[in-house]
Amino acid sequence: MENVITNNALPQNKRKKSIRLGRIFIYLTLIIYSLFLMVPFYTIVISAFTDHAELDSALKFIWWPETFSLQGFKNLIEFDVMYYEVGIPSMAVGFINTLWITCLPTVVGLFVSGLAAYVYAKIKLPGKHILFAIEMATMMIPLGSMQVVSYLFYNSILGWNDTPLPLIIPGMFGSASLIFFLRTYFEGINNEILEAARIDGKSVFGIYFSIMIPLAIPAFVAQFIFGFVGGYNDYVGPMLYLTGNKMMVTLQLAVANLQNSFSKYPETICASAVVSMIPLIIIYCFAQKLFINGIAVGGGKE
Amino acid sequence: MSKKLDSTIEGVNISTTPNFKKKHVWTKETVFALVVVLIPIIGYVVFNGFPVALSFGLLFSNIEGFDISTMTWNNFANFTTVFSDDRFWKSIWITLWIASTQLVTLAIALVISVLLAKKPRGRGFFQVLYFVPYICSSVAVAIMWKWVFDGNHGLLNALLGTKIDWLNNTDNPATLTWAIITSIIWQAPGYGIVMFKAALDAVNPALYEASEIDGANSFEQFWNITIPSIAPTTFYLLFTGVLAGFTTFDKATLMAPISWTQTAGYEDMGLTMLYYSYILGTQRMEMELASVVSWFLFLITMTLSVIVMKKRDKELEY
């Protein structure tokens, strides 16, 4: 009898031990990965606050500076070329430009895509299945490789070079992935509400505006975030079309340009990167769920 | 626009009258609906179709600068020029190299999400943390990693006790490509972690319970239940990841900025295909050559896309 009990107890102990070891392994991996993600942030933040002279004379990375300084951040204003010329630092100009260059196509594109999605989901229209198939087929063609050669079209045929139009106008026509996503969402909306509104004499547009949009706000918000983050972080588009127009710099372009003008001032470059990230990080802290859902949903075209 | 709207509001009365005929009547409402669904298609044709068609025409043409009126047919001279260009083949090699490391990104995302699915304490915190790199801009990420890899003040040299200029490494130029890859691997898994989380949450817990009764250990469970359940997500992430890898451009231009000799960083080690297309097209103003490179890349990505479509159709059949 005694034997049986000890025999039973042993594996259980072992099992508990292995579970505990498993937990330790999990935490260790998660923490190491966290460090891998966070340490690069630390390096630019701490260097941004390091005194220029100390940084310049140091022969290796400074984990903790002896003299803290805000000069790196001040340089972004005081020694900015655009601040001399027009009185506004280039990062501020970039931030304002980024806001409207990003929001305009995102909002209009969402509105237009939503309208099309509403028709696909709820309105009788002959041949709409064919149109929808065409619309979905466009999603399957990967056009990432064409972004450079498209330059010729915008530059020579449309003459939109050095204007933000190539970044704004195409987005305003909506996109297949937006239509696909919003259509799925709209299909879940009860037909009876729509019928009632129809009987009340509301037009297609009126129903879209007063019923569909309010009911689908979460879907629109998720997609807006996806579009906004994409536009805010975009570098290639502004680099192709806006490098020749100083007053039209976007935030990312401004930060990228500062790397050349402050090449001897690493603390200023680090400061510019930190400042450029702050707005999104702050919003992210307050609305992580919205962000994560928005980007998962917006990227997931399945 | 506003005129169109007014007319549809007037058209409501017509459309609400019952329609007994089988044949569809074109009311103002259906016309409005048609216009609405055509807008995105027209936008696609104009802003994607035309540029692509133009660059297709360029494949077989000569053009002076950006002036399309100078376009002249030149048979297949552009192809001969590009295919006999060493830099073109180098760019393919570097692009394949970068694209293949998407497997690492995928593996990291998978491991981390499987560990998070074990519901350790602080799971929510980790999830929020792991997504942060994904919302950072390429510009900021490039600055960050250039700083880590910096020869004088870099963290990496401090950790290793070395004094290597990783981004301009005369002994081993490949470290520049590795630096670009590191910055991608640092940023990209956030998306996969979110997608895998959704897929793992959707696995039926009854499957695990049943297998536990059958005496399966956790590795067997992972292999026989988890992996098959999340296979579609894995496949999708692999596809989007490899596609992104093939079209790597912004990280490469930022970490290996174009030099005055128009090389992509030291020894051209940052030269992805899209980057080369950019150098040829906008820096050397040889858009016809840039088109050849871009179309070559397009054929690769399109092939990938077709494979994915075929596979999905097969899945739908079953």
Side-chain angles (χ1 to χ4, degrees), chain A residues 23 27 30 36-37 39 47 55 59-61 63 135 140 145 152 156-157 173 198 203-204 233 252 259 284 299 302, chain B residues 12 29 40-41 58 66 68 118 121 128 130-131 135 137 146-147 152-153 155 163 186 191 236 294 298 305 312:
Chain A
R23 289 271 128 169
Y27 282 116
L30 294 180
F36 170 64
L37 295 186
V39 165
S47 297
L55 198 62
L59 293 171
K60 57 181 192 177
F61 179 67
W63 282 99
E135 186 68 67
M140 294 300 151
S145 52
L152 190 67
S156 305
I157 294 189
F173 284 80
R198 255 166 187 273
S203 66
V204 175
N233 287 337
Q252 302 305 335
Q259 288 188 79
Y284 180 67
E302 289 272 75
Chain B
V12 162
E29 184 175 285
I41 295 177
L58 280 179
F66 299 139
I68 23 176
K118 304 241 180 235
R121 213 169 283 169
V128 169
Y130 292 162
F131 199 66
I135 59 165
S137 68
K146 273 165 93 174
W147 190 231
N152 288 320
H153 307 94
L155 172 73
K163 202 96 195 84
W186 179 81
Y191 179 59
Y236 170 72
S294 282
F298 175 71
S305 191
R312 189 182 307 164

Short mmCIF file of all heavy atoms in Angstrom, two decimals, chain A residues 23 27 30 36-37 39 47 55 59-61 63 135 140 145 152 156-157 173 198 203-204 233 252 259 284 299 302, chain B residues 12 29 40-41 58 66 68 118 121 128 130-131 135 137 146-147 152-153 155 163 186 191 236 294 298 305 312:
data_model
loop_
_atom_site.label_atom_id
_atom_site.label_comp_id
_atom_site.label_asym_id
_atom_site.label_seq_id
_atom_site.Cartn_x
_atom_site.Cartn_y
_atom_site.Cartn_z
N ARG A 23 6.60 27.30 -17.03
CA ARG A 23 6.23 28.70 -16.77
C ARG A 23 7.46 29.60 -16.83
O ARG A 23 7.43 30.66 -17.42
CB ARG A 23 5.59 28.84 -15.38
CG ARG A 23 4.21 28.24 -15.27
CD ARG A 23 3.16 29.26 -15.63
NE ARG A 23 2.30 28.66 -16.63
CZ ARG A 23 1.14 29.16 -17.04
NH1 ARG A 23 0.70 30.29 -16.52
NH2 ARG A 23 0.44 28.57 -17.95
N TYR A 27 8.03 32.80 -19.32
CA TYR A 27 8.31 34.18 -18.91
C TYR A 27 9.67 34.65 -19.42
O TYR A 27 9.83 35.79 -19.86
CB TYR A 27 8.25 34.30 -17.37
CG TYR A 27 6.83 34.35 -16.88
CD1 TYR A 27 6.31 33.35 -16.07
CD2 TYR A 27 6.00 35.41 -17.24
CE1 TYR A 27 5.00 33.39 -15.64
CE2 TYR A 27 4.68 35.46 -16.81
CZ TYR A 27 4.19 34.44 -16.01
OH TYR A 27 2.89 34.50 -15.60
N LEU A 30 9.33 35.50 -23.07
CA LEU A 30 8.55 36.72 -23.27
C LEU A 30 9.34 37.96 -22.85
O LEU A 30 9.28 39.00 -23.51
CB LEU A 30 7.23 36.64 -22.50
CG LEU A 30 6.23 35.58 -22.97
CD1 LEU A 30 4.97 35.62 -22.13
CD2 LEU A 30 5.89 35.75 -24.44
N PHE A 36 14.35 42.77 -26.44
CA PHE A 36 14.77 42.94 -27.83
C PHE A 36 13.97 44.07 -28.49
O PHE A 36 14.50 44.86 -29.26
CB PHE A 36 14.58 41.62 -28.57
CG PHE A 36 14.75 41.72 -30.07
CD1 PHE A 36 15.97 42.07 -30.62
CD2 PHE A 36 13.70 41.44 -30.92
CE1 PHE A 36 16.14 42.15 -32.00
CE2 PHE A 36 13.84 41.52 -32.30
CZ PHE A 36 15.07 41.88 -32.84
N LEU A 37 12.68 44.16 -28.15
CA LEU A 37 11.85 45.20 -28.75
C LEU A 37 12.08 46.57 -28.13
O LEU A 37 12.01 47.58 -28.79
CB LEU A 37 10.36 44.83 -28.64
CG LEU A 37 9.90 43.59 -29.39
CD1 LEU A 37 8.39 43.46 -29.28
CD2 LEU A 37 10.30 43.65 -30.85
N VAL A 39 14.84 47.73 -26.13
CA VAL A 39 16.18 48.31 -26.01
C VAL A 39 16.49 49.32 -27.12
O VAL A 39 17.02 50.40 -26.84
CB VAL A 39 17.25 47.20 -25.89
CG1 VAL A 39 18.64 47.74 -26.13
CG2 VAL A 39 17.17 46.57 -24.51
N SER A 47 19.95 58.68 -25.88
CA SER A 47 20.89 59.49 -26.65
C SER A 47 20.31 60.85 -26.98
O SER A 47 21.04 61.84 -27.07
CB SER A 47 21.29 58.77 -27.94
OG SER A 47 21.95 57.58 -27.64
N LEU A 55 28.48 63.13 -25.96
CA LEU A 55 28.22 62.13 -27.00
C LEU A 55 29.34 62.14 -28.03
O LEU A 55 29.80 61.10 -28.48
CB LEU A 55 26.87 62.44 -27.66
CG LEU A 55 26.21 61.33 -28.45
CD1 LEU A 55 25.89 60.16 -27.54
CD2 LEU A 55 24.92 61.84 -29.08
N LEU A 59 33.60 57.20 -26.93
CA LEU A 59 34.05 56.26 -27.94
C LEU A 59 33.11 55.07 -28.04
O LEU A 59 33.31 54.19 -28.85
CB LEU A 59 35.47 55.81 -27.63
CG LEU A 59 36.48 56.96 -27.78
CD1 LEU A 59 37.85 56.57 -27.26
CD2 LEU A 59 36.57 57.40 -29.25
N LYS A 60 32.15 55.02 -27.13
CA LYS A 60 31.16 53.95 -27.28
C LYS A 60 29.80 54.40 -26.76
O LYS A 60 29.62 55.54 -26.35
CB LYS A 60 31.62 52.67 -26.61
CG LYS A 60 31.93 52.78 -25.14
CD LYS A 60 32.39 51.39 -24.71
CE LYS A 60 32.48 51.24 -23.21
NZ LYS A 60 32.86 49.87 -22.85
N PHE A 61 28.86 53.46 -26.83
CA PHE A 61 27.50 53.78 -26.46
C PHE A 61 27.41 54.23 -25.00
O PHE A 61 28.04 53.65 -24.12
CB PHE A 61 26.61 52.55 -26.67
CG PHE A 61 25.19 52.77 -26.28
CD1 PHE A 61 24.40 53.64 -27.00
CD2 PHE A 61 24.64 52.10 -25.19
CE1 PHE A 61 23.07 53.85 -26.64
CE2 PHE A 61 23.32 52.32 -24.83
CZ PHE A 61 22.54 53.20 -25.56
N TRP A 63 25.25 54.39 -21.86
CA TRP A 63 24.02 53.84 -21.26
C TRP A 63 23.28 54.88 -20.45
O TRP A 63 22.07 54.93 -20.43
CB TRP A 63 24.37 52.64 -20.37
CG TRP A 63 24.64 51.40 -21.13
CD1 TRP A 63 25.87 50.90 -21.46
CD2 TRP A 63 23.68 50.50 -21.68
NE1 TRP A 63 25.73 49.74 -22.19
CE2 TRP A 63 24.39 49.46 -22.33
CE3 TRP A 63 22.28 50.44 -21.69
CZ2 TRP A 63 23.76 48.40 -22.98
CZ3 TRP A 63 21.66 49.39 -22.33
CH2 TRP A 63 22.38 48.39 -22.97
N GLU A 135 -14.28 43.92 -58.80
CA GLU A 135 -13.71 44.69 -57.69
C GLU A 135 -12.81 43.80 -56.82
O GLU A 135 -11.72 44.20 -56.44
CB GLU A 135 -14.87 45.26 -56.85
CG GLU A 135 -14.47 46.21 -55.76
CD GLU A 135 -13.91 47.52 -56.28
OE1 GLU A 135 -14.69 48.27 -56.88
OE2 GLU A 135 -12.71 47.79 -56.08
N MET A 140 -6.43 41.05 -55.80
CA MET A 140 -5.49 39.93 -55.94
C MET A 140 -4.23 40.33 -56.69
O MET A 140 -3.28 39.57 -56.76
CB MET A 140 -6.16 38.78 -56.69
CG MET A 140 -7.29 38.15 -55.93
SD MET A 140 -6.68 37.49 -54.39
CE MET A 140 -8.14 37.64 -53.37
N SER A 145 5.04 46.46 -56.49
CA SER A 145 6.23 46.60 -57.35
C SER A 145 6.12 47.78 -58.30
O SER A 145 7.10 48.19 -58.89
CB SER A 145 6.43 45.32 -58.16
OG SER A 145 5.23 44.99 -58.83
N LEU A 152 6.12 58.08 -63.36
CA LEU A 152 6.07 58.68 -64.69
C LEU A 152 4.65 59.12 -65.04
O LEU A 152 4.45 60.19 -65.63
CB LEU A 152 6.58 57.68 -65.73
CG LEU A 152 6.80 58.27 -67.12
CD1 LEU A 152 7.93 59.26 -67.12
CD2 LEU A 152 7.06 57.17 -68.14
N SER A 156 4.36 62.94 -65.64
CA SER A 156 4.34 63.41 -67.02
C SER A 156 2.94 63.50 -67.60
O SER A 156 2.68 64.36 -68.42
CB SER A 156 5.20 62.49 -67.89
OG SER A 156 6.49 62.41 -67.35
N ILE A 157 2.04 62.60 -67.19
CA ILE A 157 0.70 62.65 -67.77
C ILE A 157 -0.20 63.57 -66.97
O ILE A 157 -0.89 64.42 -67.52
CB ILE A 157 0.11 61.24 -67.90
CG1 ILE A 157 0.93 60.45 -68.92
CG2 ILE A 157 -1.37 61.30 -68.30
CD1 ILE A 157 0.37 59.13 -69.33
N PHE A 173 -10.90 57.45 -54.12
CA PHE A 173 -11.80 56.59 -54.88
C PHE A 173 -12.11 55.29 -54.16
O PHE A 173 -12.75 54.41 -54.71
CB PHE A 173 -11.20 56.31 -56.26
CG PHE A 173 -11.32 57.47 -57.20
CD1 PHE A 173 -10.43 58.54 -57.14
CD2 PHE A 173 -12.33 57.52 -58.14
CE1 PHE A 173 -10.55 59.62 -58.00
CE2 PHE A 173 -12.46 58.60 -59.00
CZ PHE A 173 -11.56 59.66 -58.93
N ARG A 198 -37.03 53.18 -46.02
CA ARG A 198 -37.45 53.31 -47.41
C ARG A 198 -38.90 53.76 -47.48
O ARG A 198 -39.26 54.64 -48.27
CB ARG A 198 -37.35 51.97 -48.11
CG ARG A 198 -36.19 51.86 -49.03
CD ARG A 198 -36.01 50.39 -49.37
NE ARG A 198 -34.79 50.27 -50.12
CZ ARG A 198 -34.74 50.42 -51.44
NH1 ARG A 198 -35.83 50.61 -52.13
NH2 ARG A 198 -33.60 50.36 -52.07
N SER A 203 -33.92 58.25 -49.31
CA SER A 203 -33.18 57.82 -50.50
C SER A 203 -32.06 56.87 -50.10
O SER A 203 -31.76 56.70 -48.92
CB SER A 203 -32.58 59.03 -51.19
OG SER A 203 -31.61 59.61 -50.35
N VAL A 204 -31.44 56.26 -51.10
CA VAL A 204 -30.30 55.39 -50.86
C VAL A 204 -29.24 56.14 -50.07
O VAL A 204 -28.72 55.67 -49.05
CB VAL A 204 -29.69 54.93 -52.21
CG1 VAL A 204 -28.42 54.13 -51.97
CG2 VAL A 204 -30.69 54.11 -52.98
N ASN A 233 2.75 57.03 -41.33
CA ASN A 233 4.08 56.43 -41.40
C ASN A 233 4.64 56.34 -42.80
O ASN A 233 5.77 55.91 -42.98
CB ASN A 233 4.03 55.02 -40.79
CG ASN A 233 3.89 55.08 -39.28
OD1 ASN A 233 4.24 56.07 -38.66
ND2 ASN A 233 3.38 54.02 -38.70
N GLN A 252 7.32 62.35 -41.93
CA GLN A 252 8.37 61.34 -42.16
C GLN A 252 9.46 61.89 -43.06
O GLN A 252 10.64 61.63 -42.84
CB GLN A 252 7.76 60.07 -42.76
CG GLN A 252 6.66 59.44 -41.93
CD GLN A 252 7.08 59.14 -40.51
OE1 GLN A 252 8.25 58.96 -40.20
NE2 GLN A 252 6.12 59.11 -39.60
N GLN A 259 18.18 63.96 -41.05
CA GLN A 259 19.35 63.09 -40.92
C GLN A 259 20.54 63.65 -41.70
O GLN A 259 21.68 63.45 -41.31
CB GLN A 259 19.05 61.69 -41.46
CG GLN A 259 18.13 60.91 -40.57
CD GLN A 259 18.04 59.48 -41.04
OE1 GLN A 259 18.90 58.68 -40.80
NE2 GLN A 259 16.97 59.18 -41.76
N TYR A 284 -1.90 55.33 -29.08
CA TYR A 284 -1.89 53.88 -28.88
C TYR A 284 -2.09 53.52 -27.41
O TYR A 284 -2.84 52.59 -27.09
CB TYR A 284 -0.58 53.30 -29.40
CG TYR A 284 -0.47 51.80 -29.23
CD1 TYR A 284 -1.29 50.95 -29.95
CD2 TYR A 284 0.46 51.23 -28.36
CE1 TYR A 284 -1.20 49.58 -29.80
CE2 TYR A 284 0.56 49.87 -28.22
CZ TYR A 284 -0.27 49.04 -28.94
OH TYR A 284 -0.18 47.68 -28.78
N GLY A 299 -5.58 45.02 -42.27
CA GLY A 299 -4.59 44.28 -43.01
C GLY A 299 -5.13 42.93 -43.47
O GLY A 299 -4.75 42.42 -44.50
N GLU A 302 -8.60 38.71 -45.83
CA GLU A 302 -9.22 37.39 -46.03
C GLU A 302 -10.72 37.45 -45.81
O GLU A 302 -11.18 37.95 -44.81
CB GLU A 302 -8.60 36.38 -45.05
CG GLU A 302 -7.19 36.04 -45.41
CD GLU A 302 -7.09 34.88 -46.37
OE1 GLU A 302 -7.37 35.11 -47.55
OE2 GLU A 302 -6.76 33.80 -45.99
N VAL B 12 -36.82 58.89 -55.31
CA VAL B 12 -37.28 57.91 -54.32
C VAL B 12 -38.69 57.44 -54.61
O VAL B 12 -38.99 56.25 -54.56
CB VAL B 12 -37.17 58.50 -52.91
CG1 VAL B 12 -38.01 57.72 -51.93
CG2 VAL B 12 -35.72 58.48 -52.48
N GLU B 29 -32.67 55.58 -58.77
CA GLU B 29 -31.97 54.93 -57.66
C GLU B 29 -30.93 53.94 -58.15
O GLU B 29 -29.81 53.91 -57.67
CB GLU B 29 -32.98 54.23 -56.75
CG GLU B 29 -32.34 53.61 -55.54
CD GLU B 29 -33.39 53.03 -54.61
OE1 GLU B 29 -34.07 53.81 -53.93
OE2 GLU B 29 -33.55 51.81 -54.61
N PRO B 40 -15.18 53.39 -57.42
CA PRO B 40 -13.91 52.75 -57.05
C PRO B 40 -13.24 52.02 -58.21
O PRO B 40 -12.02 52.00 -58.32
CB PRO B 40 -14.31 51.75 -55.96
CG PRO B 40 -15.62 52.21 -55.46
CD PRO B 40 -16.30 52.87 -56.62
N ILE B 41 -14.07 51.43 -59.08
CA ILE B 41 -13.49 50.70 -60.22
C ILE B 41 -12.81 51.67 -61.17
O ILE B 41 -11.69 51.42 -61.64
CB ILE B 41 -14.57 49.86 -60.93
CG1 ILE B 41 -15.08 48.77 -59.97
CG2 ILE B 41 -14.02 49.23 -62.20
CD1 ILE B 41 -16.20 47.92 -60.51
N LEU B 58 6.58 51.15 -71.76
CA LEU B 58 7.98 51.56 -71.63
C LEU B 58 8.95 50.40 -71.78
O LEU B 58 10.11 50.59 -72.15
CB LEU B 58 8.21 52.20 -70.26
CG LEU B 58 7.78 53.65 -70.07
CD1 LEU B 58 8.06 54.07 -68.65
CD2 LEU B 58 8.54 54.54 -71.04
N PHE B 66 11.67 62.32 -68.58
CA PHE B 66 10.30 61.96 -68.23
C PHE B 66 9.32 62.43 -69.31
O PHE B 66 8.12 62.58 -69.05
CB PHE B 66 9.91 62.55 -66.88
CG PHE B 66 10.76 62.05 -65.75
CD1 PHE B 66 11.18 62.93 -64.75
CD2 PHE B 66 11.12 60.72 -65.67
CE1 PHE B 66 11.96 62.45 -63.70
CE2 PHE B 66 11.90 60.25 -64.64
CZ PHE B 66 12.32 61.11 -63.64
N ILE B 68 7.08 61.87 -72.19
CA ILE B 68 6.50 60.71 -72.88
C ILE B 68 6.34 60.94 -74.37
O ILE B 68 6.15 59.99 -75.11
CB ILE B 68 5.12 60.31 -72.31
CG1 ILE B 68 4.49 61.48 -71.59
CG2 ILE B 68 5.24 59.12 -71.39
CD1 ILE B 68 3.12 61.16 -71.12
N LYS B 118 -0.81 30.30 -23.71
CA LYS B 118 -0.79 29.54 -22.44
C LYS B 118 -1.28 30.40 -21.29
O LYS B 118 -1.24 29.99 -20.14
CB LYS B 118 0.63 29.05 -22.15
CG LYS B 118 1.21 28.22 -23.27
CD LYS B 118 1.56 26.81 -22.82
CE LYS B 118 2.13 26.00 -23.95
NZ LYS B 118 1.41 24.75 -24.18
N ARG B 121 0.61 35.17 -16.68
CA ARG B 121 0.19 36.43 -16.06
C ARG B 121 0.81 37.59 -16.86
O ARG B 121 1.92 37.48 -17.34
CB ARG B 121 0.68 36.47 -14.61
CG ARG B 121 -0.28 37.22 -13.71
CD ARG B 121 0.09 37.01 -12.25
NE ARG B 121 -0.34 35.71 -11.76
CZ ARG B 121 0.06 35.20 -10.58
NH1 ARG B 121 0.91 35.85 -9.83
NH2 ARG B 121 -0.38 34.02 -10.19
N VAL B 128 0.12 44.11 -25.74
CA VAL B 128 0.16 45.54 -26.08
C VAL B 128 1.58 45.96 -26.44
O VAL B 128 1.82 46.66 -27.41
CB VAL B 128 -0.40 46.38 -24.91
CG1 VAL B 128 -0.12 47.85 -25.12
CG2 VAL B 128 -1.88 46.13 -24.74
N TYR B 130 4.10 44.09 -27.54
CA TYR B 130 4.63 43.47 -28.76
C TYR B 130 4.10 44.13 -30.03
O TYR B 130 4.65 43.93 -31.11
CB TYR B 130 4.30 41.97 -28.79
CG TYR B 130 5.03 41.18 -27.73
CD1 TYR B 130 4.62 39.91 -27.35
CD2 TYR B 130 6.15 41.72 -27.09
CE1 TYR B 130 5.29 39.21 -26.38
CE2 TYR B 130 6.81 41.02 -26.12
CZ TYR B 130 6.38 39.76 -25.76
OH TYR B 130 7.05 39.07 -24.80
N PHE B 131 3.05 44.88 -29.89
CA PHE B 131 2.50 45.51 -31.08
C PHE B 131 3.12 46.88 -31.35
O PHE B 131 2.98 47.43 -32.44
CB PHE B 131 0.98 45.63 -30.94
CG PHE B 131 0.28 45.82 -32.25
CD1 PHE B 131 0.28 44.82 -33.19
CD2 PHE B 131 -0.34 47.02 -32.55
CE1 PHE B 131 -0.35 44.99 -34.41
CE2 PHE B 131 -0.97 47.20 -33.77
CZ PHE B 131 -0.96 46.18 -34.71
N ILE B 135 3.54 49.92 -35.10
CA ILE B 135 2.96 51.22 -35.40
C ILE B 135 4.04 52.29 -35.58
O ILE B 135 3.72 53.47 -35.77
CB ILE B 135 1.94 51.69 -34.33
CG1 ILE B 135 2.60 51.78 -32.98
CG2 ILE B 135 0.74 50.79 -34.32
CD1 ILE B 135 1.76 52.56 -31.97
N SER B 137 7.07 54.23 -37.61
CA SER B 137 7.35 54.48 -39.02
C SER B 137 8.70 53.88 -39.42
O SER B 137 9.58 53.73 -38.58
CB SER B 137 7.36 55.97 -39.29
OG SER B 137 8.47 56.54 -38.66
N LYS B 146 19.98 52.20 -37.17
CA LYS B 146 21.26 52.76 -37.60
C LYS B 146 22.08 53.17 -36.39
O LYS B 146 23.29 53.04 -36.36
CB LYS B 146 21.04 53.98 -38.50
CG LYS B 146 20.87 53.63 -39.96
CD LYS B 146 20.31 54.78 -40.73
CE LYS B 146 21.37 55.66 -41.34
NZ LYS B 146 20.74 56.69 -42.20
N TRP B 147 21.37 53.64 -35.38
CA TRP B 147 22.03 54.07 -34.15
C TRP B 147 22.56 52.86 -33.39
O TRP B 147 23.67 52.90 -32.85
CB TRP B 147 21.04 54.88 -33.31
CG TRP B 147 21.63 55.59 -32.13
CD1 TRP B 147 21.18 55.54 -30.86
CD2 TRP B 147 22.75 56.48 -32.13
NE1 TRP B 147 21.95 56.33 -30.06
CE2 TRP B 147 22.93 56.92 -30.81
CE3 TRP B 147 23.63 56.94 -33.11
CZ2 TRP B 147 23.94 57.79 -30.44
CZ3 TRP B 147 24.65 57.80 -32.74
CH2 TRP B 147 24.79 58.22 -31.42
N ASN B 152 30.62 54.11 -34.00
CA ASN B 152 31.24 54.78 -32.85
C ASN B 152 30.41 54.67 -31.58
O ASN B 152 30.90 54.34 -30.53
CB ASN B 152 31.44 56.27 -33.17
CG ASN B 152 32.54 56.47 -34.17
OD1 ASN B 152 33.56 55.80 -34.10
ND2 ASN B 152 32.31 57.37 -35.11
N HIS B 153 29.11 54.94 -31.71
CA HIS B 153 28.28 55.05 -30.52
C HIS B 153 27.26 53.93 -30.41
O HIS B 153 26.34 54.00 -29.61
CB HIS B 153 27.54 56.39 -30.50
CG HIS B 153 28.44 57.56 -30.68
ND1 HIS B 153 28.67 58.13 -31.92
CD2 HIS B 153 29.19 58.25 -29.79
CE1 HIS B 153 29.51 59.14 -31.78
NE2 HIS B 153 29.85 59.23 -30.50
N LEU B 155 25.07 50.57 -29.81
CA LEU B 155 24.86 49.65 -28.70
C LEU B 155 25.49 48.29 -28.99
O LEU B 155 26.08 47.66 -28.11
CB LEU B 155 23.35 49.49 -28.46
CG LEU B 155 22.94 48.43 -27.47
CD1 LEU B 155 23.25 48.87 -26.06
CD2 LEU B 155 21.47 48.11 -27.59
N LYS B 163 34.58 47.10 -32.46
CA LYS B 163 34.64 48.46 -32.99
C LYS B 163 34.39 48.37 -34.49
O LYS B 163 35.22 48.74 -35.31
CB LYS B 163 36.02 49.06 -32.70
CG LYS B 163 36.08 50.57 -32.70
CD LYS B 163 35.97 51.11 -31.29
CE LYS B 163 35.66 52.58 -31.25
NZ LYS B 163 34.27 52.95 -31.38
N TRP B 186 12.60 43.04 -36.41
CA TRP B 186 12.21 43.73 -35.18
C TRP B 186 10.78 44.24 -35.28
O TRP B 186 10.01 44.19 -34.33
CB TRP B 186 13.16 44.91 -34.94
CG TRP B 186 12.86 45.71 -33.72
CD1 TRP B 186 13.21 45.41 -32.43
CD2 TRP B 186 12.15 46.95 -33.67
NE1 TRP B 186 12.77 46.38 -31.59
CE2 TRP B 186 12.11 47.35 -32.32
CE3 TRP B 186 11.54 47.77 -34.61
CZ2 TRP B 186 11.49 48.52 -31.89
CZ3 TRP B 186 10.93 48.93 -34.20
CH2 TRP B 186 10.90 49.30 -32.86
N TYR B 191 2.28 42.13 -36.30
CA TYR B 191 1.08 41.81 -37.06
C TYR B 191 0.74 40.32 -36.96
O TYR B 191 -0.39 39.93 -36.68
CB TYR B 191 1.29 42.22 -38.52
CG TYR B 191 0.13 41.93 -39.42
CD1 TYR B 191 -1.13 42.46 -39.17
CD2 TYR B 191 0.27 41.07 -40.52
CE1 TYR B 191 -2.20 42.18 -40.00
CE2 TYR B 191 -0.79 40.79 -41.34
CZ TYR B 191 -2.03 41.35 -41.08
OH TYR B 191 -3.08 41.06 -41.89
N TYR B 236 -1.47 32.42 -44.91
CA TYR B 236 -1.76 33.80 -45.28
C TYR B 236 -0.63 34.73 -44.84
O TYR B 236 -0.19 35.60 -45.60
CB TYR B 236 -3.09 34.22 -44.65
CG TYR B 236 -3.37 35.69 -44.76
CD1 TYR B 236 -3.72 36.25 -45.98
CD2 TYR B 236 -3.27 36.53 -43.65
CE1 TYR B 236 -3.97 37.60 -46.09
CE2 TYR B 236 -3.52 37.87 -43.76
CZ TYR B 236 -3.86 38.41 -44.97
OH TYR B 236 -4.10 39.75 -45.07
N SER B 294 10.90 46.60 -62.50
CA SER B 294 9.63 46.55 -61.77
C SER B 294 8.72 45.44 -62.29
O SER B 294 8.06 44.77 -61.52
CB SER B 294 8.91 47.89 -61.87
OG SER B 294 9.49 48.81 -60.98
N PHE B 298 7.16 42.37 -60.50
CA PHE B 298 5.71 42.19 -60.54
C PHE B 298 5.36 40.75 -60.91
O PHE B 298 4.47 40.14 -60.30
CB PHE B 298 5.08 43.16 -61.54
CG PHE B 298 3.61 42.96 -61.73
CD1 PHE B 298 2.72 43.30 -60.72
CD2 PHE B 298 3.11 42.42 -62.90
CE1 PHE B 298 1.36 43.11 -60.89
CE2 PHE B 298 1.75 42.22 -63.08
CZ PHE B 298 0.87 42.57 -62.07
N SER B 305 0.87 35.39 -55.89
CA SER B 305 -0.53 35.69 -55.65
C SER B 305 -1.43 34.64 -56.31
O SER B 305 -2.42 34.19 -55.73
CB SER B 305 -0.85 37.09 -56.17
OG SER B 305 -2.10 37.50 -55.76
N ARG B 312 -6.56 28.66 -52.44
CA ARG B 312 -7.78 29.00 -51.75
C ARG B 312 -9.00 28.40 -52.48
O ARG B 312 -9.90 27.90 -51.85
CB ARG B 312 -7.92 30.52 -51.64
CG ARG B 312 -9.07 30.90 -50.74
CD ARG B 312 -9.24 32.39 -50.67
NE ARG B 312 -7.99 33.05 -50.32
CZ ARG B 312 -7.79 34.34 -50.49
NH1 ARG B 312 -8.74 35.09 -51.00
NH2 ARG B 312 -6.67 34.90 -50.16
#
